[in-house]
Amino acid sequence: MVTRHLYVARHGEADAFGEITDIGRRQAALLGRRLADIEFDAVWHSPLPRAVESTRELAPLLRPGTPAAEAAELIDHVPYVPTPAETPAGWIPFFDGYDATDAAAGNRIAERLVVRFGTAPEADAPDTHELLITHAYPIAWLVRHALDAPPARWLGLDSANTALTVIEYRPQLPPGLVMFNDQSHLPAELRWTGFGTRART
């Protein structure tokens, strides 16, 4: 059955200003080596510098001629601001200052993200393999969507730097979550699983 294979990874480690660090470059290169044998139809990256630089590090390690381009839908954003009743106590301070306008803007990006990348191909289309270099929150939103979970369930779906998530889309079937937050290409000292301790989203 025709399948859209979506490989999604967070950018490499970044500093407080959103610039990729030397560790982040190493992480991105290791991700590129892991994916070197896959024949990607395209690599898409967020417009933010930490995603752009991560793509520059890994792209030369992929098959020659693999196209890479920016996708605005992959920008770092809060995809859904939960209602007070939906918000776990530990997340309440995070949403201080988000008003209805901010929430609506983030949700519009999230909807465009799903329309562009989180959909099944037409039944007569060829198989495709796409790599997305993005941020923790868009990854969480794509995973939440794939699992058909409530909107607020994106909270707590944390992705480590350059960790790999794979989702498969087939016509008339629910999405398949093949792997989430896999860091097996990274040595122990480059794996990051805590949130809010080492790097930005």
Side-chain angles (χ1 to χ4, degrees):
M1 180 178 289
V2 61
T3 304
R4 181 181 197 176
H5 304 267
L6 200 67
Y7 300 75
V8 192
R10 188 177 172 204
H11 58 81
E13 183 188 70
D15 63 24
F17 301 100
E19 301 293 333
I20 194 169
T21 64
D22 289 340
I23 286 176
R25 290 187 179 87
R26 288 176 60 202
Q27 291 169 325
L30 289 166
L31 176 62
R33 290 189 189 122
R34 176 177 182 172
L35 300 173
D37 292 332
I38 298 173
E39 192 169 346
F40 286 108
D41 296 278
V43 177
W44 302 99
H45 60 80
S46 158
L48 296 181
R50 53 196 185 274
V52 174
E53 290 299 321
S54 296
T55 303
R56 285 180 182 156
E57 289 293 327
L58 68 85
L61 300 165
L62 303 179
R63 291 195 174 197
T66 301
E70 180 180 302
E73 298 88 350
L74 297 176
I75 196 165
D76 197 9
H77 67 283
V78 171
Y80 176 78
V81 176
T83 66
E86 295 174 302
T87 308
W91 278 89
I92 289 174
F94 178 82
F95 293 108
D96 285 349
Y98 279 89
D99 59 22
T101 301
D102 296 326
N107 197 238
R108 283 193 298 272
I109 298 171
E111 289 173 357
R112 293 197 300 268
L113 174 69
V114 168
V115 168
R116 182 165 182 184
F117 295 111
T119 56
E122 298 294 328
D124 58 351
D127 281 9
T128 58
H129 295 77
E130 297 165 279
L131 172 60
L132 313 183
I133 305 300
T134 183
H135 309 271
Y137 300 159
I139 296 170
W141 188 252
L142 286 169
V143 171
R144 179 221 61 83
H145 174 263
L147 297 176
D148 198 23
R153 193 59 192 89
W154 74 271
L155 299 172
L157 294 173
D158 300 339
S159 290
N161 294 118
T162 71
L164 186 63
T165 293
V166 180
I167 307 171
E168 294 181 344
Y169 301 90
R170 299 180 177 90
Q172 300 180 0
L173 289 175
L177 184 61
V178 177
M179 69 176 65
F180 172 66
N181 201 37
D182 186 275
Q183 301 170 70
S184 58
H185 52 286
L186 300 175
E189 67 270 16
L190 296 185
R191 295 180 185 182
W192 177 78
T193 55
F195 210 70
T197 56
R198 283 189 63 187
R200 296 167 52 88
T201 62

